[in-house]
Amino acid sequence: MKGDDGETRMYMPPLLPPPHCETKLITRSDDTENVVKERLRIYHETSKPVEDFYRKRGKLLEFDLPGGIPESWQKLLQALNIYDDDEDKKSAAA
């Protein structure tokens, strides 16, 4: 998915609530598409300088994490040079 600036942006389809929770779902009055787009614009505007700061210093680690946590957890741990407890090595879990 491309952002307004032409850069690739992550896309995640909406996560629907479980059927037994649907009747309890509350939508806030400010949860509109325009409000969410503005929140994301502000997030990107304020996080970009931080990202650039660490990229220029060679401290920004970039990698793809396709899928959800179960599909990506091991790849994330490997990228951070951290290992799962099951392997009797360092762990990211506290």
Side-chain angles (χ1 to χ4, degrees):
M1 177 175 188
K2 298 283 183 184
D4 292 338
D5 58 3
E7 290 188 25
T8 302
R9 298 279 186 237
M10 183 172 75
Y11 172 75
M12 185 171 137
L15 298 173
L16 300 176
H20 65 278
C21 295
E22 285 180 358
T23 59
K24 300 173 187 167
L25 183 64
I26 298 171
T27 302
R28 294 175 9 180
S29 61
D30 65 343
D31 279 346
T32 64
E33 183 176 351
N34 288 337
V35 170
V36 172
K37 282 183 177 182
E38 179 62 8
R39 288 180 188 152
L40 289 171
R41 185 194 65 75
I42 292 169
Y43 168 79
H44 290 293
E45 182 179 289
T46 56
S47 63
K48 183 81 169 128
V50 176
E51 184 180 314
D52 291 343
F53 174 87
Y54 286 103
R55 181 175 285 114
K56 287 176 187 173
R57 286 158 181 79
K59 302 287 184 183
L60 183 66
L61 179 62
E62 297 185 71
F63 53 92
D64 292 325
L65 289 177
I69 292 173
E71 298 85 5
S72 302
W73 184 246
Q74 288 303 317
K75 188 172 181 179
L76 174 62
L77 293 178
Q78 289 171 354
L80 296 172
N81 200 22
I82 299 174
Y83 302 94
D84 199 318
D85 278 339
D86 293 339
E87 299 174 15
D88 289 335
K89 297 181 181 179
K90 293 186 255 178
S91 173

